[in-house]
PDB file of all heavy atoms in Angstrom:
ATOM      1  N   GLN W 109     -17.441  38.351  -6.600  1.00 91.00           N
ATOM      2  CA  GLN W 109     -18.461  37.323  -6.320  1.00 91.00           C
ATOM      3  C   GLN W 109     -19.229  36.982  -7.573  1.00 91.00           C
ATOM      4  O   GLN W 109     -19.357  37.808  -8.454  1.00 91.00           O
ATOM      5  CB  GLN W 109     -19.459  37.824  -5.265  1.00 91.00           C
ATOM      6  CG  GLN W 109     -18.859  38.269  -3.975  1.00 91.00           C
ATOM      7  CD  GLN W 109     -18.724  37.160  -3.031  1.00 91.00           C
ATOM      8  OE1 GLN W 109     -19.678  36.362  -2.865  1.00 91.00           O
ATOM      9  NE2 GLN W 109     -17.580  37.031  -2.365  1.00 91.00           N
ATOM     10  N   GLN W 110     -19.890  35.819  -7.567  1.00 90.00           N
ATOM     11  CA  GLN W 110     -20.814  35.534  -8.686  1.00 90.00           C
ATOM     12  C   GLN W 110     -21.959  36.550  -8.506  1.00 90.00           C
ATOM     13  O   GLN W 110     -22.374  36.879  -7.436  1.00 90.00           O
ATOM     14  CB  GLN W 110     -21.342  34.122  -8.514  1.00 90.00           C
ATOM     15  CG  GLN W 110     -20.254  33.049  -8.656  1.00 90.00           C
ATOM     16  CD  GLN W 110     -19.488  33.152  -9.938  1.00 90.00           C
ATOM     17  OE1 GLN W 110     -20.060  33.160 -11.009  1.00 90.00           O
ATOM     18  NE2 GLN W 110     -18.169  33.345  -9.814  1.00 90.00           N
ATOM     19  N   ALA W 111     -22.548  36.905  -9.664  1.00 88.00           N
ATOM     20  CA  ALA W 111     -23.667  37.857  -9.647  1.00 88.00           C
ATOM     21  C   ALA W 111     -24.837  37.167 -10.275  1.00 88.00           C
ATOM     22  O   ALA W 111     -24.686  36.287 -11.053  1.00 88.00           O
ATOM     23  CB  ALA W 111     -23.346  39.128 -10.474  1.00 88.00           C
ATOM     24  N   ASP W 112     -26.025  37.586  -9.846  1.00 79.00           N
ATOM     25  CA  ASP W 112     -27.239  36.941 -10.396  1.00 79.00           C
ATOM     26  C   ASP W 112     -27.903  37.840 -11.465  1.00 79.00           C
ATOM     27  O   ASP W 112     -29.034  37.683 -11.804  1.00 79.00           O
ATOM     28  CB  ASP W 112     -28.231  36.587  -9.290  1.00 79.00           C
ATOM     29  CG  ASP W 112     -28.533  37.775  -8.430  1.00 79.00           C
ATOM     30  OD1 ASP W 112     -28.052  38.894  -8.747  1.00 79.00           O
ATOM     31  OD2 ASP W 112     -29.287  37.611  -7.447  1.00 79.00           O
ATOM     32  N   ASN W 113     -27.126  38.803 -11.982  1.00 80.00           N
ATOM     33  CA  ASN W 113     -27.684  39.688 -12.980  1.00 80.00           C
ATOM     34  C   ASN W 113     -27.593  39.067 -14.413  1.00 80.00           C
ATOM     35  O   ASN W 113     -26.741  38.253 -14.611  1.00 80.00           O
ATOM     36  CB  ASN W 113     -26.898  41.051 -13.047  1.00 80.00           C
ATOM     37  CG  ASN W 113     -26.707  41.650 -11.658  1.00 80.00           C
ATOM     38  OD1 ASN W 113     -25.607  41.579 -11.124  1.00 80.00           O
ATOM     39  ND2 ASN W 113     -27.741  42.140 -11.109  1.00 80.00           N
ATOM     40  N   SER W 114     -28.483  39.519 -15.265  1.00 81.00           N
ATOM     41  CA  SER W 114     -28.475  39.075 -16.664  1.00 81.00           C
ATOM     42  C   SER W 114     -27.292  39.673 -17.352  1.00 81.00           C
ATOM     43  O   SER W 114     -26.811  39.140 -18.357  1.00 81.00           O
ATOM     44  CB  SER W 114     -29.754  39.457 -17.324  1.00 81.00           C
ATOM     45  OG  SER W 114     -29.945  40.862 -17.220  1.00 81.00           O
ATOM     46  N   TRP W 115     -26.851  40.914 -16.926  1.00 81.00           N
ATOM     47  CA  TRP W 115     -25.873  41.652 -17.669  1.00 81.00           C
ATOM     48  C   TRP W 115     -24.402  41.488 -17.192  1.00 81.00           C
ATOM     49  O   TRP W 115     -23.509  42.055 -17.758  1.00 81.00           O
ATOM     50  CB  TRP W 115     -26.221  43.120 -17.706  1.00 81.00           C
ATOM     51  CG  TRP W 115     -26.547  43.718 -16.371  1.00 81.00           C
ATOM     52  CD1 TRP W 115     -27.745  43.600 -15.708  1.00 81.00           C
ATOM     53  CD2 TRP W 115     -25.700  44.454 -15.513  1.00 81.00           C
ATOM     54  NE1 TRP W 115     -27.670  44.258 -14.512  1.00 81.00           N
ATOM     55  CE2 TRP W 115     -26.435  44.775 -14.357  1.00 81.00           C
ATOM     56  CE3 TRP W 115     -24.380  44.887 -15.614  1.00 81.00           C
ATOM     57  CZ2 TRP W 115     -25.853  45.496 -13.313  1.00 81.00           C
ATOM     58  CZ3 TRP W 115     -23.811  45.590 -14.569  1.00 81.00           C
ATOM     59  CH2 TRP W 115     -24.563  45.914 -13.403  1.00 81.00           C
ATOM     60  N   ARG W 116     -24.191  40.703 -16.136  1.00 84.00           N
ATOM     61  CA  ARG W 116     -22.830  40.415 -15.739  1.00 84.00           C
ATOM     62  C   ARG W 116     -22.796  39.145 -14.915  1.00 84.00           C
ATOM     63  O   ARG W 116     -23.735  38.799 -14.230  1.00 84.00           O
ATOM     64  CB  ARG W 116     -22.232  41.616 -14.929  1.00 84.00           C
ATOM     65  CG  ARG W 116     -23.000  41.864 -13.679  1.00 84.00           C
ATOM     66  CD  ARG W 116     -22.389  43.046 -12.862  1.00 84.00           C
ATOM     67  NE  ARG W 116     -23.185  43.259 -11.658  1.00 84.00           N
ATOM     68  CZ  ARG W 116     -22.911  44.214 -10.775  1.00 84.00           C
ATOM     69  NH1 ARG W 116     -21.879  45.023 -10.956  1.00 84.00           N
ATOM     70  NH2 ARG W 116     -23.656  44.344  -9.736  1.00 84.00           N
ATOM     71  N   ARG W 117     -21.680  38.415 -15.015  1.00 89.00           N
ATOM     72  CA  ARG W 117     -21.501  37.150 -14.289  1.00 89.00           C
ATOM     73  C   ARG W 117     -20.871  37.386 -12.949  1.00 89.00           C
ATOM     74  O   ARG W 117     -21.035  36.529 -12.047  1.00 89.00           O
ATOM     75  CB  ARG W 117     -20.664  36.216 -15.106  1.00 89.00           C
ATOM     76  CG  ARG W 117     -21.427  35.731 -16.383  1.00 89.00           C
ATOM     77  CD  ARG W 117     -20.430  35.125 -17.377  1.00 89.00           C
ATOM     78  NE  ARG W 117     -19.669  34.125 -16.762  1.00 89.00           N
ATOM     79  CZ  ARG W 117     -19.538  32.890 -17.301  1.00 89.00           C
ATOM     80  NH1 ARG W 117     -20.098  32.596 -18.419  1.00 89.00           N
ATOM     81  NH2 ARG W 117     -18.801  31.964 -16.669  1.00 89.00           N
ATOM     82  N   GLU W 118     -20.160  38.472 -12.807  1.00 89.00           N
ATOM     83  CA  GLU W 118     -19.527  38.737 -11.544  1.00 89.00           C
ATOM     84  C   GLU W 118     -19.748  40.147 -11.052  1.00 89.00           C
ATOM     85  O   GLU W 118     -19.965  41.044 -11.875  1.00 89.00           O
ATOM     86  CB  GLU W 118     -18.004  38.459 -11.625  1.00 89.00           C
ATOM     87  CG  GLU W 118     -17.682  37.018 -11.780  1.00 89.00           C
ATOM     88  CD  GLU W 118     -16.196  36.722 -11.923  1.00 89.00           C
ATOM     89  OE1 GLU W 118     -15.393  37.622 -12.278  1.00 89.00           O
ATOM     90  OE2 GLU W 118     -15.779  35.609 -11.632  1.00 89.00           O
ATOM     91  N   ARG W 119     -19.714  40.331  -9.775  1.00 91.00           N
ATOM     92  CA  ARG W 119     -19.828  41.636  -9.163  1.00 91.00           C
ATOM     93  C   ARG W 119     -18.817  41.795  -8.032  1.00 91.00           C
ATOM     94  O   ARG W 119     -18.107  40.855  -7.751  1.00 91.00           O
ATOM     95  CB  ARG W 119     -21.275  41.819  -8.566  1.00 91.00           C
ATOM     96  CG  ARG W 119     -21.553  40.803  -7.460  1.00 91.00           C
ATOM     97  CD  ARG W 119     -22.707  41.196  -6.591  1.00 91.00           C
ATOM     98  NE  ARG W 119     -22.500  42.447  -5.885  1.00 91.00           N
ATOM     99  CZ  ARG W 119     -23.317  42.951  -5.030  1.00 91.00           C
ATOM    100  NH1 ARG W 119     -24.523  42.415  -4.842  1.00 91.00           N
ATOM    101  NH2 ARG W 119     -23.025  44.098  -4.405  1.00 91.00           N
ATOM    102  N   ILE W 120     -18.785  42.960  -7.372  1.00 93.00           N
ATOM    103  CA  ILE W 120     -17.975  43.155  -6.237  1.00 93.00           C
ATOM    104  C   ILE W 120     -18.888  43.269  -5.006  1.00 93.00           C
ATOM    105  O   ILE W 120     -19.964  43.794  -5.083  1.00 93.00           O
ATOM    106  CB  ILE W 120     -17.004  44.372  -6.302  1.00 93.00           C
ATOM    107  CG1 ILE W 120     -17.790  45.612  -6.853  1.00 93.00           C
ATOM    108  CG2 ILE W 120     -15.792  44.027  -7.113  1.00 93.00           C
ATOM    109  CD1 ILE W 120     -16.969  46.907  -6.792  1.00 93.00           C
ATOM    110  N   LEU W 121     -18.395  42.769  -3.843  1.00 93.00           N
ATOM    111  CA  LEU W 121     -19.173  42.810  -2.665  1.00 93.00           C
ATOM    112  C   LEU W 121     -18.259  43.230  -1.469  1.00 93.00           C
ATOM    113  O   LEU W 121     -17.243  42.547  -1.240  1.00 93.00           O
ATOM    114  CB  LEU W 121     -19.790  41.468  -2.387  1.00 93.00           C
ATOM    115  CG  LEU W 121     -20.823  41.365  -1.237  1.00 93.00           C
ATOM    116  CD1 LEU W 121     -22.091  42.155  -1.601  1.00 93.00           C
ATOM    117  CD2 LEU W 121     -21.223  39.887  -0.953  1.00 93.00           C
ATOM    118  N   HIS W 122     -18.707  44.236  -0.717  1.00 96.00           N
ATOM    119  CA  HIS W 122     -18.017  44.612   0.519  1.00 96.00           C
ATOM    120  C   HIS W 122     -16.562  45.103   0.336  1.00 96.00           C
ATOM    121  O   HIS W 122     -15.692  44.889   1.189  1.00 96.00           O
ATOM    122  CB  HIS W 122     -18.023  43.510   1.576  1.00 96.00           C
ATOM    123  CG  HIS W 122     -19.450  43.129   1.999  1.00 96.00           C
ATOM    124  ND1 HIS W 122     -19.766  41.869   2.402  1.00 96.00           N
ATOM    125  CD2 HIS W 122     -20.618  43.855   1.987  1.00 96.00           C
ATOM    126  CE1 HIS W 122     -21.073  41.811   2.688  1.00 96.00           C
ATOM    127  NE2 HIS W 122     -21.581  42.999   2.430  1.00 96.00           N
ATOM    128  N   VAL W 123     -16.314  45.787  -0.716  1.00 97.00           N
ATOM    129  CA  VAL W 123     -14.949  46.368  -0.963  1.00 97.00           C
ATOM    130  C   VAL W 123     -14.764  47.372   0.130  1.00 97.00           C
ATOM    131  O   VAL W 123     -15.587  48.365   0.255  1.00 97.00           O
ATOM    132  CB  VAL W 123     -14.875  47.062  -2.321  1.00 97.00           C
ATOM    133  CG1 VAL W 123     -13.571  47.844  -2.439  1.00 97.00           C
ATOM    134  CG2 VAL W 123     -14.996  46.018  -3.461  1.00 97.00           C
ATOM    135  N   PRO W 124     -13.713  47.257   1.026  1.00 97.00           N
ATOM    136  CA  PRO W 124     -13.534  48.174   2.123  1.00 97.00           C
ATOM    137  C   PRO W 124     -12.987  49.552   1.640  1.00 97.00           C
ATOM    138  O   PRO W 124     -11.849  49.727   1.358  1.00 97.00           O
ATOM    139  CB  PRO W 124     -12.500  47.425   2.967  1.00 97.00           C
ATOM    140  CG  PRO W 124     -11.731  46.589   1.955  1.00 97.00           C
ATOM    141  CD  PRO W 124     -12.633  46.218   0.919  1.00 97.00           C
ATOM    142  N   LEU W 125     -13.941  50.491   1.516  1.00 98.00           N
ATOM    143  CA  LEU W 125     -13.583  51.805   1.032  1.00 98.00           C
ATOM    144  C   LEU W 125     -12.991  52.660   2.156  1.00 98.00           C
ATOM    145  O   LEU W 125     -13.462  52.566   3.293  1.00 98.00           O
ATOM    146  CB  LEU W 125     -14.883  52.463   0.491  1.00 98.00           C
ATOM    147  CG  LEU W 125     -14.731  53.662  -0.413  1.00 98.00           C
ATOM    148  CD1 LEU W 125     -13.948  53.349  -1.663  1.00 98.00           C
ATOM    149  CD2 LEU W 125     -16.124  54.218  -0.739  1.00 98.00           C
ATOM    150  N   CYS W 126     -11.923  53.438   1.850  1.00 98.00           N
ATOM    151  CA  CYS W 126     -11.346  54.259   2.881  1.00 98.00           C
ATOM    152  C   CYS W 126     -12.337  55.293   3.362  1.00 98.00           C
ATOM    153  O   CYS W 126     -13.181  55.838   2.625  1.00 98.00           O
ATOM    154  CB  CYS W 126     -10.099  54.994   2.298  1.00 98.00           C
ATOM    155  SG  CYS W 126      -8.745  53.882   1.865  1.00 98.00           S
ATOM    156  N   LYS W 127     -12.286  55.504   4.675  1.00 97.00           N
ATOM    157  CA  LYS W 127     -13.176  56.448   5.386  1.00 97.00           C
ATOM    158  C   LYS W 127     -13.284  57.782   4.723  1.00 97.00           C
ATOM    159  O   LYS W 127     -14.392  58.279   4.427  1.00 97.00           O
ATOM    160  CB  LYS W 127     -12.623  56.595   6.790  1.00 97.00           C
ATOM    161  CG  LYS W 127     -13.396  57.419   7.773  1.00 97.00           C
ATOM    162  CD  LYS W 127     -12.623  57.424   9.104  1.00 97.00           C
ATOM    163  CE  LYS W 127     -13.159  58.479  10.060  1.00 97.00           C
ATOM    164  NZ  LYS W 127     -14.495  58.116  10.588  1.00 97.00           N
ATOM    165  N   GLU W 128     -12.142  58.352   4.332  1.00 97.00           N
ATOM    166  CA  GLU W 128     -12.116  59.678   3.752  1.00 97.00           C
ATOM    167  C   GLU W 128     -12.810  59.757   2.398  1.00 97.00           C
ATOM    168  O   GLU W 128     -13.483  60.690   2.021  1.00 97.00           O
ATOM    169  CB  GLU W 128     -10.716  60.232   3.628  1.00 97.00           C
ATOM    170  CG  GLU W 128      -9.974  60.490   4.940  1.00 97.00           C
ATOM    171  CD  GLU W 128      -9.242  59.236   5.481  1.00 97.00           C
ATOM    172  OE1 GLU W 128      -9.458  58.166   4.922  1.00 97.00           O
ATOM    173  OE2 GLU W 128      -8.485  59.407   6.426  1.00 97.00           O
ATOM    174  N   ASP W 129     -12.585  58.642   1.599  1.00 97.00           N
ATOM    175  CA  ASP W 129     -13.163  58.597   0.241  1.00 97.00           C
ATOM    176  C   ASP W 129     -14.716  58.594   0.360  1.00 97.00           C
ATOM    177  O   ASP W 129     -15.381  59.249  -0.386  1.00 97.00           O
ATOM    178  CB  ASP W 129     -12.668  57.376  -0.515  1.00 97.00           C
ATOM    179  CG  ASP W 129     -11.220  57.574  -0.988  1.00 97.00           C
ATOM    180  OD1 ASP W 129     -10.371  57.966  -0.177  1.00 97.00           O
ATOM    181  OD2 ASP W 129     -10.985  57.331  -2.185  1.00 97.00           O
ATOM    182  N   CYS W 130     -15.165  57.806   1.319  1.00 98.00           N
ATOM    183  CA  CYS W 130     -16.637  57.730   1.492  1.00 98.00           C
ATOM    184  C   CYS W 130     -17.192  59.026   2.040  1.00 98.00           C
ATOM    185  O   CYS W 130     -18.245  59.541   1.558  1.00 98.00           O
ATOM    186  CB  CYS W 130     -16.960  56.585   2.431  1.00 98.00           C
ATOM    187  SG  CYS W 130     -18.746  56.392   2.720  1.00 98.00           S
ATOM    188  N   GLU W 131     -16.477  59.582   3.027  1.00 98.00           N
ATOM    189  CA  GLU W 131     -17.021  60.814   3.625  1.00 98.00           C
ATOM    190  C   GLU W 131     -16.988  62.049   2.696  1.00 98.00           C
ATOM    191  O   GLU W 131     -17.914  62.835   2.712  1.00 98.00           O
ATOM    192  CB  GLU W 131     -16.246  61.095   4.948  1.00 98.00           C
ATOM    193  CG  GLU W 131     -16.662  60.004   5.972  1.00 98.00           C
ATOM    194  CD  GLU W 131     -15.963  60.159   7.375  1.00 98.00           C
ATOM    195  OE1 GLU W 131     -15.041  60.960   7.480  1.00 98.00           O
ATOM    196  OE2 GLU W 131     -16.406  59.413   8.211  1.00 98.00           O
ATOM    197  N   GLN W 132     -15.954  62.084   1.871  1.00 98.00           N
ATOM    198  CA  GLN W 132     -15.912  63.202   0.887  1.00 98.00           C
ATOM    199  C   GLN W 132     -17.021  63.059  -0.157  1.00 98.00           C
ATOM    200  O   GLN W 132     -17.640  64.058  -0.566  1.00 98.00           O
ATOM    201  CB  GLN W 132     -14.530  63.233   0.185  1.00 98.00           C
ATOM    202  CG  GLN W 132     -14.240  64.567  -0.471  1.00 98.00           C
ATOM    203  CD  GLN W 132     -14.242  65.740   0.432  1.00 98.00           C
ATOM    204  OE1 GLN W 132     -13.561  65.752   1.485  1.00 98.00           O
ATOM    205  NE2 GLN W 132     -14.988  66.779   0.142  1.00 98.00           N
ATOM    206  N   TRP W 133     -17.305  61.830  -0.570  1.00 98.00           N
ATOM    207  CA  TRP W 133     -18.340  61.502  -1.522  1.00 98.00           C
ATOM    208  C   TRP W 133     -19.688  61.995  -0.974  1.00 98.00           C
ATOM    209  O   TRP W 133     -20.407  62.698  -1.616  1.00 98.00           O
ATOM    210  CB  TRP W 133     -18.319  59.966  -1.754  1.00 98.00           C
ATOM    211  CG  TRP W 133     -19.249  59.464  -2.839  1.00 98.00           C
ATOM    212  CD1 TRP W 133     -20.089  60.172  -3.656  1.00 98.00           C
ATOM    213  CD2 TRP W 133     -19.390  58.055  -3.193  1.00 98.00           C
ATOM    214  NE1 TRP W 133     -20.748  59.255  -4.475  1.00 98.00           N
ATOM    215  CE2 TRP W 133     -20.355  58.005  -4.245  1.00 98.00           C
ATOM    216  CE3 TRP W 133     -18.797  56.890  -2.725  1.00 98.00           C
ATOM    217  CZ2 TRP W 133     -20.735  56.777  -4.831  1.00 98.00           C
ATOM    218  CZ3 TRP W 133     -19.191  55.686  -3.329  1.00 98.00           C
ATOM    219  CH2 TRP W 133     -20.159  55.632  -4.345  1.00 98.00           C
ATOM    220  N   TRP W 134     -19.922  61.686   0.311  1.00 98.00           N
ATOM    221  CA  TRP W 134     -21.176  62.089   0.947  1.00 98.00           C
ATOM    222  C   TRP W 134     -21.255  63.636   1.088  1.00 98.00           C
ATOM    223  O   TRP W 134     -22.290  64.197   0.786  1.00 98.00           O
ATOM    224  CB  TRP W 134     -21.285  61.411   2.319  1.00 98.00           C
ATOM    225  CG  TRP W 134     -22.580  61.659   3.013  1.00 98.00           C
ATOM    226  CD1 TRP W 134     -23.726  60.943   2.881  1.00 98.00           C
ATOM    227  CD2 TRP W 134     -22.887  62.701   3.974  1.00 98.00           C
ATOM    228  NE1 TRP W 134     -24.712  61.467   3.637  1.00 98.00           N
ATOM    229  CE2 TRP W 134     -24.198  62.593   4.331  1.00 98.00           C
ATOM    230  CE3 TRP W 134     -22.133  63.739   4.510  1.00 98.00           C
ATOM    231  CZ2 TRP W 134     -24.824  63.424   5.245  1.00 98.00           C
ATOM    232  CZ3 TRP W 134     -22.758  64.617   5.426  1.00 98.00           C
ATOM    233  CH2 TRP W 134     -24.091  64.450   5.782  1.00 98.00           C
ATOM    234  N   GLU W 135     -20.171  64.188   1.539  1.00 98.00           N
ATOM    235  CA  GLU W 135     -20.071  65.612   1.755  1.00 98.00           C
ATOM    236  C   GLU W 135     -20.405  66.403   0.467  1.00 98.00           C
ATOM    237  O   GLU W 135     -21.198  67.355   0.466  1.00 98.00           O
ATOM    238  CB  GLU W 135     -18.689  65.997   2.256  1.00 98.00           C
ATOM    239  CG  GLU W 135     -18.521  67.445   2.657  1.00 98.00           C
ATOM    240  CD  GLU W 135     -19.366  67.809   3.859  1.00 98.00           C
ATOM    241  OE1 GLU W 135     -19.604  66.972   4.719  1.00 98.00           O
ATOM    242  OE2 GLU W 135     -19.867  68.963   3.858  1.00 98.00           O
ATOM    243  N   ASP W 136     -19.832  65.973  -0.634  1.00 98.00           N
ATOM    244  CA  ASP W 136     -20.026  66.635  -1.936  1.00 98.00           C
ATOM    245  C   ASP W 136     -21.355  66.369  -2.587  1.00 98.00           C
ATOM    246  O   ASP W 136     -21.733  66.968  -3.566  1.00 98.00           O
ATOM    247  CB  ASP W 136     -18.868  66.262  -2.895  1.00 98.00           C
ATOM    248  CG  ASP W 136     -17.548  66.938  -2.467  1.00 98.00           C
ATOM    249  OD1 ASP W 136     -17.580  67.864  -1.729  1.00 98.00           O
ATOM    250  OD2 ASP W 136     -16.472  66.440  -2.947  1.00 98.00           O
TER     251      ASP W 136
END
Side-chain angles (χ1 to χ4, degrees):
Q109 300 274 315
Q110 298 304 303
D112 53 4
N113 310 108
S114 58
W115 50 279
R116 60 177 180 182
R117 292 162 55 128
E118 291 180 336
R119 60 164 296 182
I120 44 172
L121 188 68
H122 298 152
V123 172
L125 195 61
C126 295
K127 182 180 168 71
E128 295 87 349
D129 285 50
C130 179
E131 291 179 350
Q132 195 63 50
W133 186 1
W134 186 86
E135 188 61 36
D136 288 341

